[in-house]
Short mmCIF file of all heavy atoms in Angstrom, two decimals:
data_model
loop_
_atom_site.label_atom_id
_atom_site.label_comp_id
_atom_site.label_asym_id
_atom_site.label_seq_id
_atom_site.Cartn_x
_atom_site.Cartn_y
_atom_site.Cartn_z
N LEU A 290 85.86 123.30 110.52
CA LEU A 290 84.56 123.37 109.79
C LEU A 290 84.34 122.00 109.26
O LEU A 290 83.17 121.48 109.46
CB LEU A 290 84.74 124.31 108.59
CG LEU A 290 83.52 124.66 107.86
CD1 LEU A 290 82.45 125.16 108.64
CD2 LEU A 290 83.87 125.44 106.63
N LYS A 291 85.38 121.31 108.82
CA LYS A 291 85.12 119.81 108.28
C LYS A 291 84.65 119.00 109.37
O LYS A 291 83.73 118.23 109.24
CB LYS A 291 86.46 119.34 107.80
CG LYS A 291 86.74 119.54 106.33
CD LYS A 291 87.89 118.64 105.93
CE LYS A 291 88.80 119.29 105.01
NZ LYS A 291 90.00 118.44 104.68
N SER A 292 85.22 119.08 110.63
CA SER A 292 84.90 118.27 111.70
C SER A 292 83.51 118.45 112.19
O SER A 292 82.77 117.52 112.37
CB SER A 292 85.85 118.59 112.92
OG SER A 292 85.47 117.94 114.04
N SER A 293 82.97 119.73 112.12
CA SER A 293 81.66 119.97 112.53
C SER A 293 80.70 119.41 111.57
O SER A 293 79.58 118.88 111.86
CB SER A 293 81.42 121.46 112.54
OG SER A 293 82.12 122.08 113.66
N ALA A 294 81.01 119.59 110.19
CA ALA A 294 80.20 119.00 109.12
C ALA A 294 80.02 117.51 109.23
O ALA A 294 78.96 116.94 109.09
CB ALA A 294 80.68 119.40 107.79
N ILE A 295 81.18 116.82 109.44
CA ILE A 295 81.20 115.35 109.59
C ILE A 295 80.41 114.96 110.89
O ILE A 295 79.62 113.95 110.80
CB ILE A 295 82.60 114.85 109.63
CG1 ILE A 295 83.24 115.02 108.25
CG2 ILE A 295 82.67 113.40 110.00
CD1 ILE A 295 84.63 114.73 108.06
N SER A 296 80.47 115.65 111.97
CA SER A 296 79.69 115.43 113.14
C SER A 296 78.19 115.53 112.93
O SER A 296 77.42 114.66 113.35
CB SER A 296 80.06 116.25 114.30
OG SER A 296 81.54 116.05 114.70
N ILE A 297 77.85 116.53 112.17
CA ILE A 297 76.41 116.66 111.86
C ILE A 297 75.92 115.57 111.05
O ILE A 297 74.97 114.96 111.24
CB ILE A 297 76.18 118.08 111.19
CG1 ILE A 297 76.35 119.19 112.27
CG2 ILE A 297 74.70 118.18 110.60
CD1 ILE A 297 76.45 120.60 111.62
N LEU A 298 76.67 115.23 110.01
CA LEU A 298 76.28 114.14 109.20
C LEU A 298 76.23 112.84 109.88
O LEU A 298 75.39 111.97 109.82
CB LEU A 298 77.24 113.93 108.00
CG LEU A 298 77.12 114.88 106.79
CD1 LEU A 298 78.17 114.53 105.79
CD2 LEU A 298 75.71 114.70 106.18
N GLY A 299 77.25 112.60 110.82
CA GLY A 299 77.41 111.40 111.66
C GLY A 299 76.17 111.24 112.55
O GLY A 299 75.73 110.09 112.88
N ASN A 300 75.55 112.35 113.01
CA ASN A 300 74.42 112.25 113.98
C ASN A 300 73.17 111.75 113.19
O ASN A 300 72.23 111.25 113.77
CB ASN A 300 74.09 113.57 114.62
CG ASN A 300 75.13 113.91 115.58
OD1 ASN A 300 75.69 113.05 116.26
ND2 ASN A 300 75.26 115.29 115.79
N THR A 301 73.17 111.66 111.83
CA THR A 301 72.02 111.13 111.08
C THR A 301 72.11 109.61 111.21
O THR A 301 71.11 108.98 110.92
CB THR A 301 72.04 111.48 109.63
OG1 THR A 301 73.23 111.04 108.96
CG2 THR A 301 72.05 112.99 109.42
N LYS A 302 73.31 108.95 111.52
CA LYS A 302 73.55 107.59 111.54
C LYS A 302 73.18 106.87 110.19
O LYS A 302 72.92 105.68 110.17
CB LYS A 302 72.74 106.96 112.67
CG LYS A 302 73.08 107.56 113.97
CD LYS A 302 72.22 106.92 115.10
CE LYS A 302 72.59 107.57 116.44
NZ LYS A 302 71.80 107.20 117.52
N ASN A 303 73.35 107.60 109.12
CA ASN A 303 73.05 107.17 107.80
C ASN A 303 74.28 106.52 107.10
O ASN A 303 75.26 107.15 106.94
CB ASN A 303 72.44 108.26 106.95
CG ASN A 303 71.85 107.82 105.62
OD1 ASN A 303 72.22 106.77 105.14
ND2 ASN A 303 71.02 108.69 105.01
N ALA A 304 74.23 105.24 106.76
CA ALA A 304 75.31 104.52 106.18
C ALA A 304 75.66 104.98 104.78
O ALA A 304 76.71 104.71 104.18
CB ALA A 304 75.15 103.02 106.17
N ASP A 305 74.78 105.88 104.18
CA ASP A 305 74.94 106.33 102.77
C ASP A 305 76.26 107.26 102.86
O ASP A 305 76.68 107.49 101.76
CB ASP A 305 73.76 107.06 102.24
CG ASP A 305 72.59 106.19 102.02
OD1 ASP A 305 72.77 104.89 101.97
OD2 ASP A 305 71.45 106.61 101.97
N PHE A 306 76.53 107.80 103.94
CA PHE A 306 77.69 108.83 103.96
C PHE A 306 79.02 108.11 104.36
O PHE A 306 80.04 108.82 104.51
CB PHE A 306 77.39 109.88 104.88
CG PHE A 306 76.11 110.64 104.69
CD1 PHE A 306 75.10 110.76 105.58
CD2 PHE A 306 75.90 111.31 103.43
CE1 PHE A 306 73.94 111.48 105.30
CE2 PHE A 306 74.77 112.08 103.21
CZ PHE A 306 73.83 112.14 104.18
N ILE A 307 79.02 106.75 104.38
CA ILE A 307 80.24 106.08 104.73
C ILE A 307 81.54 106.47 103.91
O ILE A 307 82.62 106.50 104.38
CB ILE A 307 80.03 104.57 104.82
CG1 ILE A 307 81.15 103.90 105.62
CG2 ILE A 307 79.88 103.91 103.48
CD1 ILE A 307 80.91 103.61 107.04
N GLU A 308 81.29 106.71 102.62
CA GLU A 308 82.42 107.02 101.75
C GLU A 308 82.97 108.44 102.16
O GLU A 308 84.14 108.60 102.02
CB GLU A 308 82.00 106.96 100.30
CG GLU A 308 81.75 105.63 99.82
CD GLU A 308 81.26 105.52 98.46
OE1 GLU A 308 81.65 106.46 97.61
OE2 GLU A 308 80.60 104.57 98.04
N ILE A 309 82.24 109.29 102.65
CA ILE A 309 82.68 110.63 103.07
C ILE A 309 83.55 110.44 104.27
O ILE A 309 84.56 110.97 104.42
CB ILE A 309 81.46 111.58 103.31
CG1 ILE A 309 80.75 111.92 101.98
CG2 ILE A 309 81.97 112.94 103.99
CD1 ILE A 309 79.43 112.64 102.11
N TYR A 310 82.99 109.62 105.21
CA TYR A 310 83.69 109.39 106.37
C TYR A 310 85.13 108.63 106.13
O TYR A 310 86.02 109.00 106.82
CB TYR A 310 82.88 108.55 107.39
CG TYR A 310 81.51 109.02 107.69
CD1 TYR A 310 80.44 108.19 107.88
CD2 TYR A 310 81.16 110.40 107.67
CE1 TYR A 310 79.25 108.64 108.17
CE2 TYR A 310 79.97 110.92 108.00
CZ TYR A 310 78.93 109.99 108.21
OH TYR A 310 77.63 110.50 108.41
N THR A 311 85.03 107.74 105.22
CA THR A 311 86.27 106.96 104.87
C THR A 311 87.27 107.93 104.35
O THR A 311 88.49 107.73 104.72
CB THR A 311 85.94 105.90 103.85
OG1 THR A 311 84.96 105.01 104.44
CG2 THR A 311 87.15 105.00 103.57
N ALA A 312 86.99 108.83 103.45
CA ALA A 312 87.89 109.87 102.90
C ALA A 312 88.33 110.65 104.07
O ALA A 312 89.65 111.16 104.05
CB ALA A 312 87.15 110.63 101.81
N ALA A 313 87.52 111.06 104.99
CA ALA A 313 87.94 111.94 106.10
C ALA A 313 88.99 111.24 107.06
O ALA A 313 89.63 111.94 107.78
CB ALA A 313 86.72 112.47 106.90
N LEU A 314 88.94 109.89 107.02
CA LEU A 314 89.91 109.16 107.88
C LEU A 314 91.37 109.37 107.60
O LEU A 314 92.24 109.05 108.32
CB LEU A 314 89.58 107.76 107.92
CG LEU A 314 88.30 107.32 108.70
CD1 LEU A 314 88.01 105.80 108.52
CD2 LEU A 314 88.33 107.67 110.18
N ASP A 315 91.54 109.85 106.38
CA ASP A 315 92.93 110.13 105.78
C ASP A 315 93.26 111.75 105.98
O ASP A 315 94.32 112.13 105.31
CB ASP A 315 93.05 109.63 104.39
CG ASP A 315 92.94 108.10 104.26
OD1 ASP A 315 93.43 107.49 105.20
OD2 ASP A 315 92.46 107.58 103.33
N ASP A 316 92.43 112.35 106.59
CA ASP A 316 92.68 113.87 106.70
C ASP A 316 93.89 114.13 107.51
O ASP A 316 94.33 113.29 108.34
CB ASP A 316 91.47 114.57 107.36
CG ASP A 316 91.38 116.04 106.99
OD1 ASP A 316 90.83 116.41 105.94
OD2 ASP A 316 91.83 116.83 107.84
N ALA A 317 94.50 115.32 107.34
CA ALA A 317 95.60 115.76 108.16
C ALA A 317 95.25 116.18 109.53
O ALA A 317 96.11 116.05 110.51
CB ALA A 317 96.35 116.84 107.49
N SER A 318 93.96 116.55 109.75
CA SER A 318 93.57 116.98 111.10
C SER A 318 93.16 115.90 111.89
O SER A 318 92.29 115.09 111.64
CB SER A 318 92.44 117.96 110.89
OG SER A 318 91.82 118.35 112.11
N ASP A 319 93.67 115.89 113.11
CA ASP A 319 93.29 114.82 114.15
C ASP A 319 91.76 114.96 114.55
O ASP A 319 91.10 113.96 114.77
CB ASP A 319 94.13 114.86 115.46
CG ASP A 319 95.44 114.39 115.16
OD1 ASP A 319 95.76 113.49 114.34
OD2 ASP A 319 96.43 114.81 115.92
N ARG A 320 91.19 116.19 114.61
CA ARG A 320 89.78 116.40 114.91
C ARG A 320 88.86 115.86 113.89
O ARG A 320 87.83 115.36 114.14
CB ARG A 320 89.68 117.97 115.11
CG ARG A 320 90.19 118.47 116.37
CD ARG A 320 89.88 119.91 116.57
NE ARG A 320 90.50 120.37 117.84
CZ ARG A 320 90.54 121.61 118.12
NH1 ARG A 320 89.93 122.56 117.41
NH2 ARG A 320 91.19 122.03 119.23
N VAL A 321 89.29 116.02 112.63
CA VAL A 321 88.49 115.52 111.50
C VAL A 321 88.45 114.02 111.51
O VAL A 321 87.41 113.34 111.41
CB VAL A 321 88.98 115.99 110.18
CG1 VAL A 321 88.29 115.40 109.02
CG2 VAL A 321 88.75 117.56 110.02
N ILE A 322 89.63 113.37 111.75
CA ILE A 322 89.73 111.99 111.83
C ILE A 322 88.77 111.42 113.04
O ILE A 322 88.14 110.44 112.87
CB ILE A 322 91.22 111.57 112.00
CG1 ILE A 322 92.01 111.88 110.71
CG2 ILE A 322 91.29 110.04 112.38
CD1 ILE A 322 93.49 111.61 110.88
N ASN A 323 88.91 112.12 114.18
CA ASN A 323 88.14 111.68 115.28
C ASN A 323 86.67 111.76 114.93
O ASN A 323 85.83 110.84 115.23
CB ASN A 323 88.41 112.52 116.49
CG ASN A 323 87.79 111.96 117.71
OD1 ASN A 323 87.91 110.84 118.10
ND2 ASN A 323 87.09 112.84 118.35
N SER A 324 86.19 112.82 114.37
CA SER A 324 84.76 112.98 113.99
C SER A 324 84.42 111.97 113.05
O SER A 324 83.31 111.37 113.02
CB SER A 324 84.54 114.44 113.42
OG SER A 324 84.69 115.37 114.39
N ALA A 325 85.22 111.69 112.08
CA ALA A 325 84.92 110.73 111.02
C ALA A 325 84.79 109.24 111.63
O ALA A 325 83.97 108.46 111.30
CB ALA A 325 85.96 110.64 109.91
N ALA A 326 85.71 108.94 112.58
CA ALA A 326 85.82 107.61 113.24
C ALA A 326 84.38 107.42 113.95
O ALA A 326 83.76 106.42 114.00
CB ALA A 326 86.97 107.41 114.16
N ILE A 327 84.03 108.48 114.78
CA ILE A 327 82.77 108.43 115.51
C ILE A 327 81.62 108.17 114.51
O ILE A 327 80.63 107.35 114.82
CB ILE A 327 82.66 109.65 116.46
CG1 ILE A 327 83.66 109.65 117.51
CG2 ILE A 327 81.25 109.78 116.99
CD1 ILE A 327 83.77 110.85 118.37
N ALA A 328 81.66 109.00 113.52
CA ALA A 328 80.53 108.93 112.50
C ALA A 328 80.42 107.52 111.86
O ALA A 328 79.36 107.00 111.67
CB ALA A 328 80.58 110.01 111.34
N VAL A 329 81.68 106.85 111.55
CA VAL A 329 81.66 105.60 111.02
C VAL A 329 81.05 104.60 112.00
O VAL A 329 80.23 103.69 111.60
CB VAL A 329 83.14 105.14 110.70
CG1 VAL A 329 83.23 103.65 110.56
CG2 VAL A 329 83.64 105.80 109.47
N GLY A 330 81.36 104.73 113.23
CA GLY A 330 80.80 103.77 114.35
C GLY A 330 79.29 104.02 114.42
O GLY A 330 78.51 103.00 114.60
N LYS A 331 78.80 105.15 114.33
CA LYS A 331 77.40 105.47 114.39
C LYS A 331 76.56 104.83 113.23
O LYS A 331 75.33 104.51 113.47
CB LYS A 331 77.01 106.92 114.42
CG LYS A 331 77.45 107.61 115.78
CD LYS A 331 77.11 108.96 115.77
CE LYS A 331 77.42 109.67 117.26
NZ LYS A 331 77.06 111.09 117.20
N THR A 332 77.17 104.62 112.09
CA THR A 332 76.46 104.09 111.02
C THR A 332 76.06 102.57 111.28
O THR A 332 75.20 102.14 110.52
CB THR A 332 77.25 104.07 109.67
OG1 THR A 332 78.39 103.27 109.74
CG2 THR A 332 77.68 105.50 109.31
N LYS A 333 76.81 101.92 112.09
CA LYS A 333 76.61 100.42 112.31
C LYS A 333 76.77 99.66 111.06
O LYS A 333 76.22 98.55 110.86
CB LYS A 333 75.25 100.09 112.92
CG LYS A 333 74.88 101.07 114.04
CD LYS A 333 75.53 100.59 115.29
CE LYS A 333 74.89 101.29 116.45
NZ LYS A 333 75.72 102.04 117.39
N SER A 334 77.55 100.20 110.00
CA SER A 334 77.80 99.61 108.72
C SER A 334 78.74 98.37 108.97
O SER A 334 79.54 98.24 109.83
CB SER A 334 78.54 100.55 107.81
OG SER A 334 79.03 99.86 106.73
N PRO A 335 78.52 97.28 108.06
CA PRO A 335 79.38 96.08 108.22
C PRO A 335 80.82 96.47 107.92
O PRO A 335 81.75 95.76 108.37
CB PRO A 335 78.82 95.21 107.08
CG PRO A 335 77.55 95.64 106.70
CD PRO A 335 77.44 97.16 107.24
N LYS A 336 81.08 97.54 107.26
CA LYS A 336 82.46 97.95 106.93
C LYS A 336 83.12 98.77 108.14
O LYS A 336 84.29 98.94 108.21
CB LYS A 336 82.60 98.97 105.77
CG LYS A 336 81.94 98.39 104.51
CD LYS A 336 82.03 99.48 103.38
CE LYS A 336 81.34 99.05 102.11
NZ LYS A 336 81.21 100.17 101.14
N ALA A 337 82.34 99.11 109.05
CA ALA A 337 82.76 100.02 110.10
C ALA A 337 83.87 99.41 110.99
O ALA A 337 84.88 100.01 111.26
CB ALA A 337 81.67 100.40 111.07
N PHE A 338 83.71 98.18 111.40
CA PHE A 338 84.66 97.55 112.20
C PHE A 338 86.11 97.46 111.57
O PHE A 338 87.08 97.85 112.11
CB PHE A 338 84.21 96.14 112.66
CG PHE A 338 85.19 95.50 113.64
CD1 PHE A 338 85.20 95.85 114.98
CD2 PHE A 338 86.05 94.51 113.23
CE1 PHE A 338 86.16 95.19 115.90
CE2 PHE A 338 87.04 93.86 114.09
CZ PHE A 338 86.94 94.23 115.38
N GLU A 339 86.12 97.05 110.39
CA GLU A 339 87.40 96.96 109.62
C GLU A 339 88.02 98.38 109.39
O GLU A 339 89.19 98.50 109.54
CB GLU A 339 87.11 96.24 108.22
CG GLU A 339 88.34 96.09 107.49
CD GLU A 339 88.09 95.40 106.04
OE1 GLU A 339 86.97 94.86 105.83
OE2 GLU A 339 89.00 95.46 105.26
N LEU A 340 87.23 99.31 109.01
CA LEU A 340 87.70 100.67 108.91
C LEU A 340 88.39 101.11 110.16
O LEU A 340 89.43 101.75 110.17
CB LEU A 340 86.65 101.70 108.46
CG LEU A 340 86.19 101.59 107.09
CD1 LEU A 340 84.90 102.40 106.82
CD2 LEU A 340 87.21 101.95 106.05
N LEU A 341 87.67 100.88 111.24
CA LEU A 341 88.22 101.43 112.52
C LEU A 341 89.42 100.67 113.01
O LEU A 341 90.31 101.29 113.54
CB LEU A 341 87.12 101.40 113.58
CG LEU A 341 85.85 102.31 113.32
CD1 LEU A 341 84.69 102.08 114.34
CD2 LEU A 341 86.42 103.77 113.52
N MET A 342 89.50 99.36 112.75
CA MET A 342 90.66 98.58 113.14
C MET A 342 91.93 99.03 112.26
O MET A 342 92.98 98.99 112.80
CB MET A 342 90.35 97.18 113.00
CG MET A 342 89.34 96.64 114.02
SD MET A 342 89.82 97.08 115.82
CE MET A 342 91.22 96.19 116.05
N ASN A 343 91.64 99.27 111.02
CA ASN A 343 92.73 99.81 110.20
C ASN A 343 93.24 101.15 110.61
O ASN A 343 94.40 101.44 110.64
CB ASN A 343 92.27 99.94 108.75
CG ASN A 343 92.14 98.53 108.10
OD1 ASN A 343 92.69 97.51 108.48
ND2 ASN A 343 91.27 98.40 106.98
N LEU A 344 92.35 102.02 111.07
CA LEU A 344 92.76 103.35 111.59
C LEU A 344 93.56 103.13 112.89
O LEU A 344 94.55 103.80 113.08
CB LEU A 344 91.48 104.12 111.88
CG LEU A 344 91.69 105.53 112.56
CD1 LEU A 344 92.50 106.41 111.63
CD2 LEU A 344 90.37 106.14 112.99
N GLU A 345 93.26 102.21 113.69
CA GLU A 345 93.90 101.97 114.96
C GLU A 345 95.44 101.60 114.72
O GLU A 345 96.33 101.93 115.44
CB GLU A 345 93.22 100.84 115.74
CG GLU A 345 93.72 100.70 117.14
CD GLU A 345 94.83 99.70 117.23
OE1 GLU A 345 94.89 98.78 116.42
OE2 GLU A 345 95.61 99.83 118.22
N LYS A 346 95.68 100.91 113.59
CA LYS A 346 96.95 100.44 113.23
C LYS A 346 97.84 101.52 112.59
O LYS A 346 99.09 101.40 112.53
CB LYS A 346 96.94 99.24 112.29
CG LYS A 346 96.30 97.98 112.94
CD LYS A 346 96.14 96.98 111.97
CE LYS A 346 95.24 95.76 112.57
NZ LYS A 346 94.80 94.74 111.53
N GLN A 347 97.24 102.63 112.17
CA GLN A 347 98.02 103.76 111.56
C GLN A 347 98.83 104.57 112.59
O GLN A 347 98.28 104.82 113.62
CB GLN A 347 97.14 104.55 110.83
CG GLN A 347 96.52 104.08 109.65
CD GLN A 347 95.51 104.98 108.81
OE1 GLN A 347 95.44 106.10 109.30
NE2 GLN A 347 94.85 104.57 107.80
N PRO A 348 100.11 104.76 112.34
CA PRO A 348 100.92 105.48 113.31
C PRO A 348 100.35 106.90 113.30
O PRO A 348 99.90 107.49 112.36
CB PRO A 348 102.32 105.33 112.77
CG PRO A 348 102.20 105.19 111.41
CD PRO A 348 100.84 104.35 111.26
N SER A 349 100.38 107.53 114.62
CA SER A 349 99.96 108.89 114.72
C SER A 349 100.72 109.59 115.95
O SER A 349 101.15 108.91 116.78
CB SER A 349 98.56 109.06 114.88
OG SER A 349 98.07 108.36 115.98
N TRP A 350 100.58 110.85 115.93
CA TRP A 350 101.19 111.54 117.17
C TRP A 350 100.41 111.34 118.33
O TRP A 350 99.21 111.42 118.39
CB TRP A 350 101.11 113.10 116.76
CG TRP A 350 101.61 113.95 117.79
CD1 TRP A 350 100.86 114.84 118.70
CD2 TRP A 350 103.01 114.17 118.22
NE1 TRP A 350 101.70 115.39 119.51
CE2 TRP A 350 103.02 115.13 119.27
CE3 TRP A 350 104.19 113.65 117.78
CZ2 TRP A 350 104.17 115.57 119.85
CZ3 TRP A 350 105.41 114.14 118.35
CH2 TRP A 350 105.37 114.99 119.40
N LYS A 351 101.12 110.90 119.46
CA LYS A 351 100.44 110.61 120.71
C LYS A 351 99.34 109.67 120.60
O LYS A 351 98.23 109.75 121.39
CB LYS A 351 100.08 111.94 121.32
CG LYS A 351 101.32 112.76 121.81
CD LYS A 351 100.78 113.85 122.63
CE LYS A 351 102.02 114.62 123.05
NZ LYS A 351 101.62 115.85 123.85
N ASN A 352 99.35 108.64 119.73
CA ASN A 352 98.26 107.69 119.53
C ASN A 352 96.93 108.21 119.22
O ASN A 352 95.93 107.60 119.65
CB ASN A 352 98.22 106.76 120.74
CG ASN A 352 99.42 105.79 120.84
OD1 ASN A 352 99.93 105.27 119.79
ND2 ASN A 352 99.93 105.60 122.00
N GLN A 353 96.84 109.37 118.61
CA GLN A 353 95.57 109.97 118.30
C GLN A 353 94.69 109.10 117.45
O GLN A 353 93.40 109.05 117.67
CB GLN A 353 95.77 111.40 117.62
CG GLN A 353 96.19 112.40 118.64
CD GLN A 353 95.31 112.66 119.71
OE1 GLN A 353 94.05 112.74 119.53
NE2 GLN A 353 95.85 112.62 120.91
N ASN A 354 95.27 108.38 116.45
CA ASN A 354 94.46 107.57 115.58
C ASN A 354 93.82 106.34 116.49
O ASN A 354 92.84 105.89 116.20
CB ASN A 354 95.21 106.85 114.46
CG ASN A 354 95.42 107.99 113.44
OD1 ASN A 354 94.86 108.97 113.37
ND2 ASN A 354 96.33 107.65 112.48
N ARG A 355 94.61 105.81 117.39
CA ARG A 355 94.13 104.73 118.25
C ARG A 355 92.93 105.28 119.14
O ARG A 355 91.86 104.55 119.20
CB ARG A 355 95.21 104.17 119.13
CG ARG A 355 94.78 103.10 120.10
CD ARG A 355 95.76 102.46 120.93
NE ARG A 355 96.53 101.62 119.90
CZ ARG A 355 97.71 101.13 120.07
NH1 ARG A 355 98.39 101.49 121.12
NH2 ARG A 355 98.24 100.39 119.16
N ILE A 356 93.12 106.47 119.68
CA ILE A 356 91.98 107.04 120.44
C ILE A 356 90.75 107.27 119.62
O ILE A 356 89.66 106.96 120.00
CB ILE A 356 92.54 108.35 121.14
CG1 ILE A 356 93.62 108.10 122.14
CG2 ILE A 356 91.33 109.13 121.70
CD1 ILE A 356 94.32 109.33 122.56
N SER A 357 90.96 107.76 118.39
CA SER A 357 89.83 107.97 117.40
C SER A 357 89.11 106.61 117.14
O SER A 357 87.93 106.52 117.10
CB SER A 357 90.26 108.70 116.21
OG SER A 357 90.86 110.08 116.50
N ALA A 358 89.92 105.59 116.91
CA ALA A 358 89.40 104.36 116.52
C ALA A 358 88.53 103.79 117.71
O ALA A 358 87.51 103.29 117.52
CB ALA A 358 90.48 103.31 116.25
N LEU A 359 89.00 103.96 118.91
CA LEU A 359 88.34 103.59 120.11
C LEU A 359 87.08 104.30 120.22
O LEU A 359 86.01 103.69 120.66
CB LEU A 359 89.19 103.55 121.43
CG LEU A 359 90.31 102.65 121.46
CD1 LEU A 359 91.26 102.98 122.63
CD2 LEU A 359 89.85 101.25 121.54
N ASN A 360 87.09 105.64 120.00
CA ASN A 360 85.84 106.42 120.07
C ASN A 360 84.82 105.88 119.11
O ASN A 360 83.62 105.84 119.29
CB ASN A 360 86.19 107.85 119.76
CG ASN A 360 86.87 108.53 120.98
OD1 ASN A 360 86.79 108.10 122.08
ND2 ASN A 360 87.65 109.59 120.63
N GLY A 361 85.26 105.58 117.84
CA GLY A 361 84.41 104.92 116.86
C GLY A 361 83.82 103.65 117.27
O GLY A 361 82.63 103.39 117.04
N LEU A 362 84.70 102.84 117.85
CA LEU A 362 84.20 101.50 118.23
C LEU A 362 83.29 101.51 119.41
O LEU A 362 82.28 100.70 119.48
CB LEU A 362 85.41 100.55 118.70
CG LEU A 362 86.42 100.12 117.55
CD1 LEU A 362 87.60 99.45 118.10
CD2 LEU A 362 85.59 99.03 116.68
N GLN A 363 83.43 102.56 120.27
CA GLN A 363 82.48 102.79 121.31
C GLN A 363 80.97 102.97 120.73
O GLN A 363 79.97 102.60 121.24
CB GLN A 363 82.89 103.98 122.07
CG GLN A 363 81.92 104.31 123.27
CD GLN A 363 82.40 105.50 124.02
OE1 GLN A 363 83.23 106.33 123.45
NE2 GLN A 363 81.76 105.76 125.20
N GLN A 364 80.95 103.74 119.60
CA GLN A 364 79.58 103.99 119.00
C GLN A 364 79.07 102.76 118.34
O GLN A 364 77.80 102.58 118.14
CB GLN A 364 79.77 105.14 117.94
CG GLN A 364 80.15 106.48 118.60
CD GLN A 364 79.19 106.94 119.57
OE1 GLN A 364 77.94 106.96 119.43
NE2 GLN A 364 79.64 107.46 120.74
N LEU A 365 79.96 101.95 117.81
CA LEU A 365 79.55 100.73 117.09
C LEU A 365 78.92 99.76 117.99
O LEU A 365 78.00 99.15 117.79
CB LEU A 365 80.78 100.09 116.43
CG LEU A 365 80.52 98.97 115.41
CD1 LEU A 365 79.78 99.48 114.22
CD2 LEU A 365 81.92 98.39 115.05
#
């Protein structure tokens, strides 16, 4: 449910929601983190690159955070 909500907000490309996405980057679910990373990239916010690079450095199971960060960078 969280992942879908973040994806819908992300499709607005509105940088006003960047704090919601930032909080979601620390979620326990890989799907939520991936949706948040993509949403961060879509905002084109000046903070986006730094947030995604920090996500890439966080350890995760099977490099899921790195994959999510790359998905976000693709949108940026």
Side-chain angles (χ1 to χ4, degrees):
L290 187 61
K291 275 192 217 179
S292 177
S293 295
I295 289 171
S296 293
I297 290 168
L298 282 178
N300 286 334
T301 66
K302 301 178 183 178
N303 190 340
D305 292 341
F306 301 122
I307 193 99
E308 291 180 22
I309 295 170
Y310 308 145
T311 303
L314 290 174
D315 293 326
D316 199 87
S318 169
D319 289 332
R320 288 181 181 173
V321 172
I322 292 171
N323 188 53
S324 294
I327 291 170
V329 165
K331 286 181 177 181
T332 65
K333 312 282 193 235
S334 168
K336 299 177 187 177
F338 183 77
E339 183 179 345
L340 286 170
L341 294 170
M342 292 310 294
N343 288 337
L344 175 64
E345 190 270 333
K346 295 174 188 173
Q347 293 177 3
S349 62
W350 178 255
K351 294 187 178 182
N352 291 319
Q353 287 300 310
N354 284 348
R355 177 171 287 162
I356 293 167
S357 296
L359 290 172
N360 287 337
L362 288 169
Q363 179 183 15
Q364 298 299 317
L365 190 62

